[in-house]
Structure formats: structure tokens, C-alpha cells
Amino acid sequence: MTEEFKPKIVGFLCNWCCYAGADMAGTSRMKYPSNIRIIRVMCSSRINTEMIIKAFQTGADAVFIGGCHFGDCHYVDGNYRTKKRIDVLKRLLSHMGIEQERLRLEWVSAAEGEKFSKTMAEFTDTITSLGPSPLREIKEEAI
Amino acid sequence: MEPELRDYVGELLDSGTVAGVLALKDELGAVKPYLFTKNNEIGDLVLTSKYPLASVMSMLQKEDPSIKLAIVCRGCDERALIELAKRNQINLDNIVFVGIPCDEEMADKCNCLQPYPKEIVTGEKLSNWVPKNNYEDFKNMSTEEKLIFWKGQLEKCNKCYGCRNACPLCFCSDCELENALWVKHGRLPPEFPIYHVIRAFHLAGKCVGCGECENACPVGIPLMTLNHLLREDIKDLFGYMTGQDIEDENPINTKEEY
Amino acid sequence: MKYDNILTTCPYCGCGCKYYIQVINGVAKGVMPCKEDPVSEGKLCIKGWNVVDFVYSEGRLTKPLIKENGKFREASWDEAYNLIVSKFKKIKEQHGPQAFGLLSSAKTTNEENYLMQKFARSIIVTNNVDHCARLCHASTVAGLAAAFGSGAMTNSIPEFEDADCFLITGSNTTEQHPLIGSRILRAKERGAKIILVDPRLIQLAKFADIHLRQKPGTDVAWLNGLMYVIIKDGLVDEEFVKNRTENYEKLKKEVMNYPPEKVEEITGVPKEDIISAAHIFGNAKTASIIYSMGITQHTTGVDNVKSCANLAMITGNMGKACTGVNPLRGQNNVQGACDLGALPNVFPGYQAVANGEFREKFEKAWKMDDKIPENVGLTVVEMTNEAHAGNIKCLYIMGENPMVSDPDINHVKESLESLDFLVVQDIFLTETAELADVVLPGTSFLEKDGTFTGTDRRVQRVRKAIEPLGESKPDWLIISELASRMGSSAFEYNSPKEIQDEIASLTPLYGGISYERLDDLGYLQWPCLDKDHKGTVFLHKGKFTRGLGCFFPITYKPPAELPDKEYPFTLTTGRILFHFHTGTMTRCVPKLDKEVPTGYVEIHPVDADRLGIKDGEIIKVSTRRGTINIPAYITRKVPEKIVFIPFHFKECAANILTNPALDPIAKIPELKVCACKVESIGE
Ligand code: SF4
Ligand code: SF4
Ligand code: SF4
Ligand code: FES
């Protein structure tokens, strides 16, 4: 068994900023790891707890959420709520025995392609060293 | 305490201040929530048990929005009423609070953070009260141990929805726990851990620590552990406590930075 | 405004949870658990929590119906009663009382069951009265009565909390008896050992110390195997065997034919597991055997039950707290329906009809001119067979739905269609009621007073919370009115309380039970002989009901139908948490219907793969009796070569497939094993 662990990361990216940032990273050939599955949403605050846990439950090793910088949210204050929600959820995850590092929130503007690719590389490293999500195993034994 | 209280609420009824008093009644060797409407029944009013009276009050107001009722309430009942009012589930103007403090035994049993309402009609507030259980044992576990702990606990779940049904703050008509997008229907136990994470998270900044969820759990899942830890987190992150003032907003939903 | 909480007993399973019904201005709004109730302790299962929804469901019958030219029309009570009375009289005249069959109901109250058998025996003058206990625990009643002298659960639910060891077999306890399951889980946390014997990976399997997955229908073999090890390794309670039992040597001789190697061959359970399970059980200070239909619904049902009794007795686990042989009764009041004589061979309190003294006592009390026949009447399955043969002309069915619950439904349908006259009394227009000539609208448990007897012989009050819907009437009133119109003066009751008093006066087991005492004490467990008797928490203390406990040597016999080339799978059936029995109540509760809207067949991934079946795909399952189309649920819960179908769902009714082969003594059909074929219907 030499198969190397490649984390699966689900990225929920805000259409108005981070998604464009990722796009820019792509078009300007800034490399970022290919193991992120991107889901475009209209605002980071569209993401609720259910979606994040569901992502873990269906096999994600980590979840990334990318939104607009404070003050830039298209819906004025969506991202303030996102921030609070994610901070509480991180704590809840760690109470449940799931490393809170597996959930990450970053503000990435449309112009920050480089920030995006750097963040993703770094996040992938973190998760690689953490290993597979404990929920993955549980999922497999369930069927 | 009971005799004075009976006099007090009897007076509320006699004077016509309220059309009824929601409290607990002793009948058939058990204690049940009951709406007292006549003074001559008041002799059966007791304080010995605990039921989620705030939810009952909300149901009664929905039946007749204009009715004015009194409620004999403990600390957690009052906090629940305040939280319900914040969310337009109840109209505090039509409620007369008849506050009673909890004794040490009850407060211990609930590991209550605040075993008394803001104003009390009769009895003594416990002074210098601090709950004994701080969940240190749980906090001392490693992440891995915590996961194993919850897995063992949640595998017992009977999917009765009792924790939700009994909770005074769970009032949504469309409950996400029943949404097949998140929780597969008809599976026992529900998939680990989404069912319980959803509920815990939805109650963050809302839970008043009444313990009814854990009391309702047939398989003894320590649901209050999660509630307690989240209450601490909310306090730590936002300096917020539930059930204090109707003007306070749940910080998770506000637009302010913190 | 009036807001009150009415304390009543759950109408679903036999746990017997009491809870409050919240009533505002005469309308039931919901359930509030009762924290002082000793069974539920303020906790409920999903069915209990949502009980109010079925009561107000649209399908409720609110007027009598009469069938004319193949169609139902609404009728007045007078009209319906008159028609029934004239038909009953005519059929009785032409064909005699033995052309009647009456089915009572494990869902209705004790008082109503009492009246139904009183109606059968005193108005029609037949012993052809039975109910669906025949299909679940007839073998328990026969087997335990033979071994101990009493056919009921020996110990009580609260005792489970303190037992050291459980042997759980043929009971998916956390699903079918949730509030008993929860106690077992709590006991486990306290350190109790769980031995689970079940082919399926049920929820309890995760908590079991050892899980034996036997081939369906091989229970006698593994039970004998456990006893072999217990005897061989010196774990027999010699003193108990010597002082309290008889026939031990014969048992020993038989059991010694079942060494673990042989048992492994028959049951498929590794011999090491047999040995360690026997050691766990044999070494426990208190061990409790818990079983349900996985033991009883076999052609060897009585044998299985007797084997459980043998095992409990050789280890001395009888007549003490936290031990015993504990059949969990499925229906809220199946215990009561049996206790109150809705059986073809006994009067209330298991007083045999064959006994002339008892017949005389009842003839007198019921002011009869006729003589009650001394012959035992027909059982459920026999009634349908006799109807098919043209010997039964008329059936009066209260609150039962044989068109879903009984084996080989196609045969049941033909039988019911060949009747001259069929009266069905129910709260819904069930599949059975559809075939009736007259349908009478009874009421749900919320609309009447009475008592239910839970699985642990716990008699508890049912209290009226709301008025009957529409023109429906409580079943006790319907039977009484009908009896009076048939000319009897022995059915004049103002309330169920008076019926209970009559029961107490004629039934020693219930002799001390009255509404006043139930109000005071909350419950009474029979035997409760007189007004000062506190009831009985566990049976057979110091002495068995029959004197000495009797061992029965049992030889293993295979099920009636085994897989073969044509039908290579074993089909086993059962229930699930979210539904109840034939689904008439639970399927109209939105919250339950949402969880599981229809039936399914559980099939192992390896089998599914081989047959090219995908999860959720509609497939064909057939047996020698019939074929159904049903969605596949691919899961490792079932072993290879075994499929499982919950029987609640009429559109893919498991009982079209099941085998009506009967246990020779208890006449219970073999619902738990038959051979079947599984096919994909996709191109
Ligand atoms: S979550 Fe539990 S403790 Fe919190 S308010 Fe609801 S029932 Fe009370
Ligand atoms: S009360 Fe307990 S068993 Fe019921 S759904 Fe909640 S956690 Fe599960
Ligand atoms: S169905 Fe059984 S376990 Fe559920 S509430 Fe009713 S009696 Fe209790
Ligand atoms: S629009 Fe980007 S975070 Fe709200």
C-alpha cells in the first residue's frame, strides 16, 4: 500500500469574489492543487451548516469557504454572518471530535488569484498532514 | 412556597387580571401542565416537577392571540419565553410572569446556569450559585477520543425527534432534521453525526439550558454536553447569554463585526 | 379557554408507555410525555410522539356503511344494526352458530375484548373467537403455559435496567419496543452483557458482546447447543433444577445430541461463538431472555419457546428479579386480548372452555339459556380456511386487518369473498373492510375509556381525551348495542368501568383490578387477585404456576419450506421502527410516512451484484404463493442469501409471499421463513 493520500477538498466559493479569484488563478496558470472540487454560490452566507457537514459526510476531508472581504459583500453584510457562523461551527466540530482545521474560511477578492492558489496549496498541505477525515471511515462501515 | 403561590395566582384569577394560569397540576399521582381558570382548582397547583411550559404558552397564544394568561415559571421557562418573544413566537404583553426560584436539588439536577427568573413572587433565590459540572472530563479528551465518545453515544439514537419535540426553542414548522437532503429518511440510527450537529448548531445562541432535550432522550445521549459547550463558546466569542433581555439579538445573526 | 393534559396509554406497541394528550378546547393538539410514568419515564419513540395525527386523519370512518351492488353507501346506526341483526339471526337459523367466526382485536381495550368474546359465546354461542395474537405469540402462550403454567412475560420492564446479561433473539428491540430497547442500552452502559441471536445486523448488534447470526428457523438447534455447553461445563443451577423442576434427565439426554460442531452445521453459527455465548449466559448472576416474533412465528414456534424456557430453567434464571423468559408482545393490548379470553379455547383469565365448571359459571353470569359448547373453537387461520371451504358463513371482525397481516393474502381474499356476510368494525376503511357487507365506525383510543394490558402484564388506563369523531362510537358501546338488539339483557353498561367490574368478578387474575385502584396506583400487574393484592412484578417466585417447572426435550426440525433450486433465497419478514403492523394508523401520520413511505426488500450487496440489481430499483420477489414488485435496499444488514421485507405495506405486501404452514400446537403460521426467488425486472 504505497498509495499516497490525496485529500478531497470541497470549496464553496462566492460568485462575486473568490470564484473569480480562482478563475483568475486558473487562467493565469497559477498552479493550485487539483483536489479541490469547487461549488459556486452567490454569497458566502449562502453556505449553511448542513451543507458543510453534508460535504464531510459524503467523503470530503476538508471544506473551504471563500468570500468577499468585509465591506465588499454584494449583499452588504452576508460575510459578517458567515464569519460568525463558521467560527461557531469550528468549535462545534472540534467538540464532536473533528479537527477544526478541516474547515477554513478566507476572504479572497476577484483580483487575488495568487492569494487563492497559495491558500489552497497551504490548505492542502495542512489536510494532507492531518490525514483522511475520520468521517470517511465511518461512512464506509455504515453500508 | 406553594401556599403563598396559590394565594397569589388565585388573586390573579379572582381579580380578572388573567383568564387563566398556566402551571403544574397534581393529578393521578403524576404532575402535568394545566391551565387553571378557576380559583377552586388552585389547591392542586404544585411546583414539584418541571415541564416545558413556554412551548405550551406559545401554543395557547396561537389558539387565542388576545387571551391574557399568567405563567408560573422557573428561570429556564422565563428565558425560553424571552427567546421565543425575540422570534415573534409569543407576545410578552399578554403574559403575567409568576416567577419562582429553583431549589438546590433541582438546580443541581439540571446543572443550571441561572436557577431563578429575573423577578420572583415567592421563595428565595439560591445565592452564589455556580453549576457544579463544568464538563471537564469531556474537555480533557483528545479530539480522537471525543469522536469515539460521540460515535458510541449517537449510535444509540432512536430517531424519536424527542430532543427537538421537547425543546421550547425548536418551533420551526419545516425542520431541517426532516430534510432528506441532509438526513436520510428512515435510517436507524440517523447517519453520524449530521442529525445531532444540525440540532446543536441551530440551538447555538438560542438554547436556554432547560435540559428538556436530554430528559426526553430515551437512550440517554448526553445532549446537554454539546449545549453547554456551545453556550460557553457563544459567551466566549460574543459575550452573549440567552434569555436575558428581549432587546438582545442572537449575535450569530447580526451583521456586526466582533 | 380550556387546556388540559389527559393521561392515557399508547395504542402502538406493548411497552405500554403512558403519556399525556394535550387538549385545547376539546381538540387533541399533541403529546406531552409523562415524567412520572414508570415505563417511559418521560421519553417516547417517534410513533408515540406523533400519535394524535392518525386520530384526525382524513380516512377516519364517521358513519356506518352498507354495501349495495358492490358499492358502499352511508347508513344510519339503526339501519346498520337492523341489517346485521337480521342477517346474524338468519345465518344462525340456517347454518347454526358454528358457521360464525369472530375476530377480536389486540388494538382495542380489555373491556372490548371481553365483550367480543362474551358476544361470541353468549349471543352467537360459539367458541370461534380469536385475534391476531395467533399470528404473533400463540406459541408463547402455548409453550410457556406448558413449561411454567402461565403464558405471559415472566418479569417486568423496569427490571431490565438491572439485569447482568441479556439473551435477545428474534426481537429487534430498539425498533419494535423502543422503550425496552433503551433500557437494555442503559443496562449495557452499566456493564450488562448482551448476547444477540439474529440473522440481521440490527441496531443492537453494535452493542452486543456477541452476535450469533443463525440461519432463520434453526433456533431449537442453537438453544440446545447453548444448553449442551452449559451442562457439559458445569454451569447448570443444580439446586434450582432439583427443587423447582421436573423432567431434567430427559432434557439432558436430548440436548446431549447437540455438540457445538453439529450446531454449527445446522445453524451456520461458528462453534466457538456458541461456546462463548453459553459461558456468558451460564456465568451471569441474573440473565434475562428476551424474544419476540423471531422465535414464535415458525412451524416450530412452540418448540422454540419451550427451548427458551428450558434454557432459563437449567440456569436457574426464573422466579427472580432481572431474569426470566420475556416474550415482548407486539401490540399495545395483545396481552389483554388474550387475558380477556378472545381465544377459542379459554374464557377470560385462561379458564378453559373444556372445563364444565367454568362454562357453567359464565353461562350463569351472562344470563344464558343456551349452553356454551365445550369444544375449542377455530383459530384465525382455520377460520379463513373454513370460510374457503364454505363452512364458515359469517365473520364479524373488530379492528383487525387480515388482508395485510395474515399469511398468503390471496387465499385470505378468496375466503372473505366467499362469505355470506361480513361485518367489519374499524376506524379506517381497511383492505379487509373493503370486502365487508357492513362497516361499523369504531373510535380510536383517544375517544374512549378502558384499559390496556402491556407486555409485562401491566394493566393501565386508557382515558377519553376527546369526543368520538362524527357518528363513530366506542367499540364497547357498539358490541353492547348490537347484543341488546340480538335480544340479550346482559350487555347493559353505562361505562367501561362497569365492564371492568364484571371482568374482575369472573376473572381471578384480574380480580383486584378496578378503575379506582388504577387511578390511585397508575398500574397493576396481574395476577392481582383481590382488592388488597398489589399485583405481581415477576411470576413464579418460589413456585411455578403449575407447581414444578417442566423441561421439554426438543428435537430440531427444519422449517416447512427451505430454499431450493427454483426458490434459492430465504425470505424473512418483520417490522420497522417507523410503522406499525398493517400501517393503517402509522401510514396516515405525515411524519412517519415521510420517514418510510413504502416497503422495500433488504438484499445483500453480493447477491444484488450477482443479480444485477441496483439500490432503489424495483425488483420482483416471488414464492410459491405469489409475487410482489418492491424496491431493493442493498445493505449488509442481511446476510447473503437471505432477504428481509417489512410487512406493513399493502402495495408490496410481504404476506402475499409468506407461508401459511402452521405450528401443529399453536396454529401460528411460519411468517419468518420461506423460500423465495429474487429477480430484476429491468431489461
Ligand atoms: S436545546 Fe435542550 S436545553 Fe437547550 S433550550 Fe432546547 S431543550 Fe432546553
Ligand atoms: S431524543 Fe435522543 S434518541 Fe431521540 S432523536 Fe434526540 S438524540 Fe435521538
Ligand atoms: S410505540 Fe411503544 S415505545 Fe413507542 S411510545 Fe408507544 S408504547 Fe412507547
Ligand atoms: S457576496 Fe461574496 S461573501 Fe457575500
Side-chain angles (χ1 to χ4, degrees):
Chain A
M1 284 287 285
T2 48
E3 214 180 293
E4 187 189 339
F5 167 59
K6 285 216 193 79
K8 282 190 204 152
I9 300 177
V10 172
F12 293 103
L13 310 187
C14 166
N15 175 61
W16 304 107
C17 50
C18 193
Y19 188 78
D23 206 34
M24 183 183 159
T27 45
S28 41
R29 321 239 157 136
M30 288 174 234
K31 276 218 180 105
Y32 67 87
S34 59
N35 43 16
I36 169 165
R37 316 277 199 282
I38 292 179
I39 298 172
R40 176 164 60 144
V41 291
M42 293 311 281
C43 174
S44 66
S45 66
R46 174 67 187 84
I47 310 304
N48 58 23
T49 341
E50 289 84 340
M51 294 172 180
I52 295 167
I53 307 294
K54 185 77 183 181
F56 281 116
Q57 200 115 292
T58 36
D61 296 301
V63 172
F64 177 82
I65 291 163
C68 312
H69 288 274
F70 282 148
D72 290 347
C73 176
H74 247 67
Y75 309 95
V76 188
D77 47 33
N79 50 3
Y80 287 92
R81 295 165 206 255
T82 310
K83 169 90 171 96
K84 293 174 176 175
R85 207 180 279 162
I86 297 300
D87 282 351
V88 176
L89 182 58
K90 275 172 159 251
R91 299 232 180 162
L92 175 52
L93 285 181
S94 82
H95 300 324
M96 295 300 301
I98 300 161
E99 300 90 347
Q100 51 168 299
E101 293 81 0
R102 295 185 187 276
L103 175 59
R104 180 158 176 179
L105 169 68
E106 287 294 339
W107 310 135
V108 181
S109 78
E112 293 175 314
E114 200 183 333
K115 178 173 179 190
F116 180 79
S117 69
K118 261 202 188 140
T119 311
M120 287 326 296
E122 190 193 298
F123 192 36
T124 307
D125 285 349
T126 316
I127 303 306
T128 311
S129 61
L130 269 179
S133 154
L135 293 190
R136 261 215 215 181
E137 258 169 65
I138 288 169
K139 186 186 160 231
E140 269 149 32
E141 95 189 33
I143 305 250
Chain B
M1 219 156 97
E2 269 165 10
E4 295 115 78
L5 192 87
R6 288 183 193 135
D7 289 347
Y8 185 87
V9 300
E11 179 54 31
L12 288 175
L13 283 174
D14 285 346
S15 63
T17 317
V18 294
V21 179
L22 181 60
L24 301 178
K25 181 179 180 187
D26 189 357
E27 191 184 280
L28 300 168
V31 176
K32 67 182 191 180
Y34 183 72
L35 185 68
F36 292 88
T37 52
K38 290 185 219 82
N39 200 343
N40 61 11
E41 308 167 318
I42 293 286
D44 295 331
L45 189 157
V46 291
L47 301 173
T48 45
S49 190
K50 183 165 123 32
Y51 274 92
L53 291 180
S55 333
V56 177
M57 181 54 94
S58 155
M59 182 168 80
L60 297 181
Q61 281 199 349
K62 280 180 186 135
E63 200 67 25
D64 180 355
S66 64
I67 196 164
K68 187 141 184 160
L69 300 172
I71 177 169
V72 175
C73 60
R74 301 176 181 274
C76 55
D77 296 323
E78 185 194 72
R79 295 195 293 277
L81 289 167
I82 291 174
E83 288 299 313
L84 284 171
K86 288 182 190 172
R87 294 168 177 83
N88 298 321
Q89 297 301 311
I90 214 160
N91 175 3
L92 294 186
D93 296 341
N94 280 346
I95 298 177
V96 174
F97 287 83
V98 181
I100 50 157
C102 292
D103 58 16
E104 192 158 353
E105 194 193 330
M106 181 65 88
D108 252 339
K109 209 168 98 196
C110 301
N111 198 44
C112 186
L113 292 175
Q114 203 181 333
Y116 41 80
K118 282 189 291 192
E119 270 172 54
I120 57 178
V121 164
T122 154
E124 289 284 326
K125 256 205 297 225
L126 286 174
S127 51
N128 305 324
W129 171 258
V130 244
K132 299 202 178 56
N133 185 354
N134 230 350
Y135 299 91
E136 288 306 326
D137 290 352
F138 179 84
K139 288 179 194 160
N140 288 335
M141 288 185 200
S142 69
T143 311
E144 215 185 326
E145 284 167 342
K146 285 180 184 167
L147 187 84
I148 294 169
F149 173 79
W150 285 117
K151 195 164 170 271
Q153 287 295 335
L154 302 186
E155 242 163 25
K156 298 186 293 185
C157 178
N158 198 245
K159 212 178 185 196
C160 66
Y161 294 92
C163 43
R164 175 201 67 186
N165 297 349
C167 175
L169 273 309
C170 273
F171 51 76
C172 303
S173 49
D174 274 323
C175 175
E176 291 296 334
L177 296 177
E178 292 177 37
N179 185 341
L181 264 181
W182 322 127
V183 187
K184 275 196 197 116
H185 286 155
R187 295 289 165 84
L188 191 73
E191 253 174 302
F192 177 84
I194 194 163
Y195 182 93
H196 299 86
V197 169
I198 293 177
R199 217 191 87 80
F201 189 84
H202 284 197
L203 270 298
K206 218 169 151 191
C207 170
V208 296
C210 66
E212 291 296 345
C213 49
E214 193 171 296
N215 287 338
C217 181
V219 293
I221 295 172
L223 298 164
M224 287 309 282
T225 306
L226 281 184
N227 291 336
H228 182 93
L229 296 172
L230 280 174
R231 278 162 64 102
E232 279 187 355
D233 292 335
I234 302 277
K235 197 161 168 207
D236 179 39
L237 289 168
F238 314 110
Y240 177 79
M241 290 260 291
T242 56
Q244 303 306 308
D245 192 309
I246 179 159
E247 301 303 329
D248 297 346
E249 260 186 277
N250 181 357
I252 306 185
N253 298 333
T254 57
K255 52 185 204 271
E256 280 74 39
E257 209 174 334
Y258 72 96
Chain C
M1 183 186 301
K2 201 166 162 31
Y3 166 79
D4 200 355
N5 277 289
I6 308 297
L7 189 60
T8 192
T9 306
C10 182
Y12 288 121
C13 82
C15 289
C17 301
K18 286 208 296 298
Y19 45 63
Y20 292 113
I21 303 293
Q22 306 194 65
V23 181
I24 302 184
N25 298 334
V27 180
K29 292 285 177 180
V31 165
M32 174 79 78
C34 171
K35 297 189 181 182
E36 279 89 7
D37 172 42
V39 174
S40 68
E41 300 175 305
K43 306 144 203 302
L44 299 173
C45 81
I46 185 169
K47 296 186 288 291
W49 272 108
N50 294 291
V51 80
V52 167
D53 290 13
F54 90 80
V55 173
Y56 289 112
S57 105
E58 263 174 38
R60 275 291 299 274
L61 293 168
T62 52
K63 280 204 164 105
L65 302 174
I66 291 179
K67 196 178 268 164
E68 269 172 10
N69 307 321
K71 276 217 181 82
F72 282 121
R73 67 163 174 86
E74 291 184 350
S76 70
W77 277 101
D78 265 335
E79 214 182 335
Y81 281 148
N82 288 341
L83 179 62
I84 295 171
V85 170
S86 73
K87 284 280 189 182
F88 276 12
K89 285 192 168 155
K90 204 169 124 209
I91 294 172
K92 199 171 158 188
E93 228 162 72
Q94 285 178 352
H95 304 283
Q98 303 320 322
F100 285 79
L102 292 90
L103 290 186
S104 197
S105 169
K107 289 247 92 45
T108 59
T109 64
N110 286 334
E111 291 76 0
E112 289 160 346
N113 277 287
Y114 173 80
L115 289 190
M116 195 63 171
Q117 61 87 35
K118 180 174 172 185
F119 189 92
R121 296 191 160 113
S122 72
I123 307 286
I124 307 287
V125 198
T126 176
N127 283 318
N128 294 345
V129 57
D130 202 9
H131 71 284
C132 72
R134 188 63 50 202
L135 307 174
C136 57
H137 277 291
S139 20
T140 295
V141 176
L144 294 188
F148 305 148
S150 165
M153 172 163 166
T154 60
N155 291 53
S156 294
I157 296 171
E159 290 171 42
F160 290 148
E161 196 102 33
D162 304 311
D164 292 324
C165 173
F166 297 96
L167 172 70
I168 303 168
T169 180
S171 157
N172 185 356
T173 325
T174 59
E175 293 203 47
Q176 267 64 267
H177 295 88
L179 269 290
I180 292 178
S182 64
R183 274 207 162 74
I184 296 171
L185 292 179
R186 277 188 265 158
K188 167 80 197 172
E189 276 173 5
R190 211 207 53 237
K193 293 265 191 290
I194 298 179
I195 304 165
L196 178 68
V197 190
D198 198 301
R200 292 171 69 225
L201 268 178
I202 54 177
Q203 190 182 20
L204 271 177
K206 296 210 179 102
F207 302 91
D209 293 273
I210 186 161
H211 182 189
L212 316 182
R213 300 182 77 177
Q214 86 281 32
K215 284 188 201 141
T218 60
D219 303 291
V220 166
W222 65 259
L223 280 158
N224 278 347
L226 292 188
M227 287 186 264
Y228 175 98
V229 179
I230 285 171
I231 294 175
K232 210 151 169 277
D233 295 351
L235 298 172
V236 173
D237 185 336
E238 305 282 356
E239 201 169 305
F240 186 91
V241 168
K242 190 165 133 249
N243 298 333
R244 303 269 326 256
T245 68
E246 59 189 8
N247 225 11
Y248 175 64
E249 286 310 317
K250 288 207 184 108
L251 171 80
K252 187 169 168 187
K253 196 162 155 249
E254 178 63 38
V255 159
M256 283 302 142
N257 299 326
Y258 294 83
E261 301 70 34
K262 180 168 163 196
V263 173
E264 171 166 350
E265 235 168 73
I266 302 174
T267 62
V269 177
K271 58 177 189 290
E272 299 74 26
D273 289 356
I274 299 274
I275 296 170
S276 25
H279 287 168
I280 297 176
F281 192 87
N283 283 316
K285 232 167 85 217
T286 54
S288 178
I289 301 177
I290 294 178
Y291 72 80
S292 202
M293 267 99 91
I295 281 292
T296 60
Q297 290 178 333
H298 292 280
T299 43
T300 57
V302 176
D303 284 353
N304 293 348
V305 170
K306 285 178 176 165
S307 298
C308 290
N310 289 341
L311 177 61
M313 288 192 293
I314 62 164
T315 50
N317 280 302
M318 282 297 299
K320 300 191 283 196
C322 312
T323 63
V325 179
N326 298 292
L328 304 183
R329 313 295 305 250
Q331 304 260 16
N332 59 325
N333 199 32
V334 67
Q335 185 63 53
C338 291
D339 296 347
L340 275 307
L343 295 171
N345 59 335
V346 286
F347 290 112
Y350 306 97
Q351 305 176 77
V353 294
N355 183 325
E357 255 171 63
F358 293 144
R359 286 201 305 279
E360 230 169 84
K361 167 168 110 176
F362 283 98
E363 281 159 6
K364 204 166 137 231
W366 295 342
K367 303 184 200 159
M368 291 174 62
D369 301 325
D370 300 299
K371 294 274 167 240
I372 299 172
E374 59 174 290
N375 293 338
V376 167
L378 298 174
T379 62
V380 169
V381 182
E382 289 170 328
M383 279 185 214
T384 32
N385 288 342
E386 289 301 311
H388 207 259
N391 298 327
I392 289 272
K393 301 287 181 196
C394 174
L395 281 180
Y396 176 13
I397 301 178
M398 165 171 78
E400 295 237 323
N401 191 8
M403 283 292 295
V404 181
S405 66
D406 289 19
D408 198 355
I409 292 171
N410 294 331
H411 176 79
V412 175
K413 180 151 191 253
E414 284 168 23
S415 309
L416 294 183
E417 280 170 350
S418 65
L419 291 168
D420 285 359
F421 194 57
L422 173 62
V423 180
V424 173
Q425 181 172 320
D426 209 304
I427 59 174
F428 294 114
L429 196 61
T430 61
E431 296 66 35
T432 306
E434 299 269 9
L435 301 176
D437 297 289
V438 182
V439 180
L440 301 175
T443 65
S444 77
F445 80 119
L446 276 195
E447 299 142 76
K448 61 187 171 194
D449 283 306
T451 52
F452 289 154
T453 305
T455 188
D456 56 355
R457 299 167 278 106
R458 191 181 297 268
V459 183
Q460 308 189 103
R461 274 298 313 276
V462 175
R463 292 191 182 83
K464 182 172 158 184
I466 56 171
E467 290 303 319
L469 298 196
E471 290 174 26
S472 65
K473 293 186 185 194
D475 298 82
W476 64 268
L477 189 62
I478 301 176
I479 304 171
S480 310
E481 289 181 347
L482 200 53
S484 301
R485 284 170 189 248
M486 291 289 289
S488 168
S489 63
F491 282 79
E492 279 151 18
Y493 304 105
N494 293 311
S495 73
K497 180 180 174 322
E498 296 175 10
I499 309 173
Q500 178 59 49
D501 292 342
E502 182 176 319
I503 294 172
S505 71
L506 293 166
T507 316
L509 285 183
Y510 278 62
I513 295 176
S514 68
Y515 282 20
E516 291 80 10
R517 293 193 76 199
L518 290 175
D519 283 353
D520 273 359
L521 301 169
Y523 64 89
L524 279 164
Q525 287 174 282
W526 67 256
C528 174
L529 306 175
D530 55 56
K531 297 273 172 242
D532 302 313
H533 195 285
K534 289 217 177 61
T536 310
V537 178
F538 56 87
L539 302 176
H540 314 301
K541 185 178 177 182
K543 183 167 174 262
F544 283 96
T545 312
R546 73 181 287 282
L548 291 176
C550 184
F551 285 111
F552 289 90
I554 307 284
T555 312
Y556 164 72
K557 293 185 210 76
E561 192 180 72
L562 286 170
D564 52 25
K565 249 180 120 181
E566 204 188 342
Y567 295 98
F569 281 84
T570 302
L571 166 68
T572 184
T573 65
R575 309 178 182 218
I576 56 173
L577 170 71
F578 302 98
H579 284 288
F580 197 79
H581 214 56
T582 68
T584 48
M585 295 153 81
T586 49
R587 294 192 75 191
C588 52
V589 174
K591 295 229 189 284
L592 299 175
D593 181 56
K594 194 175 189 179
E595 291 289 339
V596 183
T598 187
Y600 52 81
V601 50
E602 290 181 2
I603 179 165
H604 192 275
V606 169
D607 293 326
D609 218 36
R610 204 162 32 79
L611 296 166
I613 292 168
K614 283 190 247 8
D615 196 42
E617 172 184 339
I618 309 276
I619 60 170
K620 195 161 102 179
V621 181
S622 10
T623 66
R624 294 191 170 80
R625 270 77 47 198
T627 299
I628 59 172
N629 291 342
I630 184 167
Y633 168 24
I634 300 178
T635 170
R636 284 179 210 281
K637 266 203 222 166
V638 280
E640 283 176 50
K641 287 285 179 208
I642 295 181
V643 295
F644 168 83
I645 303 180
F647 82 93
H648 314 287
F649 307 93
K650 60 182 176 203
E651 65 280 18
C652 41
N655 282 328
I656 288 183
L657 306 173
T658 47
N659 189 354
L662 299 183
D663 178 284
I665 302 170
K667 309 285 163 70
I668 191 170
E670 187 144 64
L671 296 168
K672 287 288 182 225
V673 205
C674 70
C676 77
K677 179 162 72 186
V678 180
E679 296 156 289
S680 162
I681 39 184
E683 263 68 79

